[in-house]
Amino acid sequence: MGTSGRRGRPRDEEADARILDAAGDLLLERGYDRMSVDEAATRAGVAKTTLYRRWPTKDHLIVAVVARIQDAVPVAYSGDVRADLTAYLNAITDGLNRMRQVARPATAGDMSAGLVAEVAAAAARHADVGAAVQAMFTRRNALVVTLLEQARLHGELRAETDPEVLFDQLAGALYYRLLVTGRPIDAAYVDRLVTGALDGATS
Amino acid sequence: MGTSGRRGRPRDEEADARILDAAGDLLLERGYDRMSVDEAATRAGVAKTTLYRRWPTKDHLIVAVVARIQDAVPVAYSGDVRADLTAYLNAITDGLNRMRQVARPATAGDMSAGLVAEVAAAAARHADVGAAVQAMFTRRNALVVTLLEQARLHGELRAETDPEVLFDQLAGALYYRLLVTGRPIDAAYVDRLVTGALDGATS
């Protein structure tokens, strides 16, 4: 198939991976405002048209970069839901803290939400970017909700537990601190969070 | 004091309130991108210099508008923490859903985070706006954390309860759905959320 007889799909995936790696590196180096899509194509060694066919705007490209970062975090039930949640939330926290630095290199170390806030704003501005962001989180979060359902079936969580709400409480607290209150998130906070959500506030 | 002999403070506060009301109305009518600060001054019947002296950019003005909306929601412990949290989170949900419509009037009814995402992005872009947003939430959230501490002293919450984490879990889940996953928030979700956070996931 195709004009050259090459297998198209693997080659496309390889180019996609190179583009997303280059875009991710540029984002971390320059920040959202100062990176250009053309530069990502050049650094990845692909034609600009290849990149634009796949991701028509910088906002679309950034969402794909964030999805790739997310997909690097494994999700599997080990039989110990507290350990699994702690590991997963620490991975999310590390990723969010890396992205927190991005887009404001001059004030690195401050509590800006950086790139994460730009992605949220891009999702709010462009309906198709919003749909892409929501699809990405729906897909990823379903994995963790499945893990929580397995833990419930296993008897680690109460039968009445609402896995979707439990996940929102955990991930939500991290993003809330990042995007809204600007409070720090770290391993000590993740421990407090998992303990609070699993143990509950009433006896 | 002053050149005219008028009492300055009450008059300033009255002008501030008029400006914030006008800016809030314009935001709801036009959205963030399409409203102008000058228009808010005109509609409020104040000199542009009065407005700019108080809030130097549109981002600063918007944060003050959001703070005013937040401050309209009362916070007091009634002796029934479940009822208090449910009422408070429903008020937050109503406010967030109103702001969700803003800035994308052409697609009203969709699941955009709208104005809330713009505020988060503005906070990430400008250090002083970020500081103002964080101060606003610190002040507001401390009221709810105090309410939770009262409920704990009252024996409604377990002694081990971490009020700050409990609040992050509740407010965080709402903002997470609004800003990140784009899922709806409503009274039914608030009920699931309060039940999940108070009861906990383990027995």
Side-chain angles (χ1 to χ4, degrees):
Chain A
M1 318 258 280
T3 52
S4 69
R6 288 191 198 123
R7 281 166 298 139
R9 186 58 39 161
R11 184 160 278 273
D12 280 357
E13 282 173 13
E14 196 206 311
D16 283 2
R18 279 210 314 280
I19 293 167
L20 294 179
D21 284 345
D25 289 347
L26 282 168
L27 261 177
L28 288 170
E29 288 166 26
R30 312 257 169 99
Y32 185 85
D33 285 344
R34 269 164 296 217
M35 78 154 275
S36 87
V37 174
D38 288 357
E39 217 175 349
T42 304
R43 193 181 283 204
V46 303
K48 290 175 191 176
T49 49
T50 302
L51 195 159
Y52 283 104
R53 199 162 49 221
R54 191 82 176 80
W55 298 288
T57 71
K58 196 202 284 194
D59 283 345
H60 291 82
L61 180 61
I62 295 328
V63 171
V65 169
V66 174
R68 190 171 159 82
I69 294 170
Q70 284 200 328
D71 286 338
V73 180
V75 182
Y77 180 50
S78 73
D80 180 345
V81 71
R82 186 177 292 259
D84 291 344
L85 285 176
T86 301
Y88 186 73
L89 296 173
N90 273 317
I92 298 289
T93 297
D94 291 346
L96 290 176
N97 281 332
R98 269 201 312 276
M99 288 194 276
R100 184 172 238 173
Q101 309 290 336
V102 171
R104 296 185 58 199
T107 49
D110 77 343
M111 290 290 102
S112 162
L115 178 59
V116 186
E118 294 294 349
V119 170
R125 277 191 295 263
H126 309 294
D128 58 340
V129 174
V133 168
Q134 292 172 17
M136 166 176 83
F137 279 95
T138 298
R139 184 172 55 75
R140 281 297 297 177
N141 294 356
L143 300 177
V144 187
V145 169
T146 298
L147 185 158
L148 294 173
E149 278 162 357
Q150 290 174 294
R152 187 174 60 177
L153 287 172
H154 218 246
E156 276 209 287
L157 301 180
R158 297 191 310 126
E160 300 79 10
T161 301
D162 187 331
E164 187 188 348
V165 166
L166 176 56
F167 181 75
D168 287 348
Q169 286 173 357
L170 294 165
L174 297 178
Y175 279 87
Y176 182 65
R177 288 170 77 93
L178 182 83
L179 288 171
V180 177
T181 65
R183 310 279 296 167
I185 50 178
D186 55 21
Y189 182 75
V190 167
D191 282 344
R192 287 168 64 194
L193 185 57
V194 172
T195 296
L198 291 184
D199 295 355
T202 52
S203 48
Chain B
M1 318 257 280
T3 52
S4 69
R6 287 192 199 125
R7 282 165 297 140
R9 186 56 39 157
R11 186 161 276 273
D12 280 359
E13 282 172 13
E14 195 206 311
D16 283 3
R18 279 210 314 279
I19 294 167
L20 295 179
D21 284 344
D25 289 347
L26 281 168
L27 262 177
L28 288 170
E29 286 166 27
R30 312 257 169 101
Y32 185 85
D33 286 344
R34 269 163 294 216
M35 79 156 271
S36 86
V37 173
D38 288 357
E39 217 174 349
T42 304
R43 193 180 284 205
V46 303
K48 290 175 192 177
T49 49
T50 303
L51 195 159
Y52 283 103
R53 199 163 50 221
R54 189 84 175 80
W55 297 289
T57 71
K58 195 201 288 193
D59 284 345
H60 291 82
L61 180 61
I62 295 328
V63 171
V65 168
V66 174
R68 188 170 159 83
I69 293 170
Q70 285 200 328
D71 286 338
V73 180
V75 182
Y77 181 50
S78 73
D80 180 345
V81 71
R82 186 177 292 260
D84 291 345
L85 285 175
T86 302
Y88 185 74
L89 296 173
N90 273 317
I92 298 289
T93 297
D94 291 345
L96 290 175
N97 280 333
R98 269 201 310 276
M99 288 195 275
R100 183 172 239 173
Q101 309 291 337
V102 172
R104 295 185 60 198
T107 50
D110 77 344
M111 290 291 102
S112 162
L115 177 60
V116 187
E118 295 294 349
V119 171
R125 277 191 297 261
H126 310 294
D128 58 340
V129 175
V133 168
Q134 292 172 17
M136 165 176 84
F137 279 96
T138 298
R139 183 172 55 74
R140 281 297 295 177
N141 294 355
L143 299 177
V144 187
V145 169
T146 298
L147 185 158
L148 294 173
E149 278 162 357
Q150 290 175 293
R152 187 174 60 177
L153 287 171
H154 217 246
E156 277 208 288
L157 301 180
R158 297 190 311 125
E160 300 80 8
T161 301
D162 187 331
E164 186 188 348
V165 166
L166 176 56
F167 181 75
D168 287 348
Q169 285 173 359
L170 294 165
L174 297 179
Y175 279 87
Y176 182 66
R177 288 171 77 94
L178 182 83
L179 287 171
V180 178
T181 66
R183 309 280 295 167
I185 50 178
D186 55 21
Y189 182 75
V190 166
D191 282 343
R192 287 167 65 194
L193 185 57
V194 172
T195 296
L198 291 184
D199 294 356
T202 53
S203 50

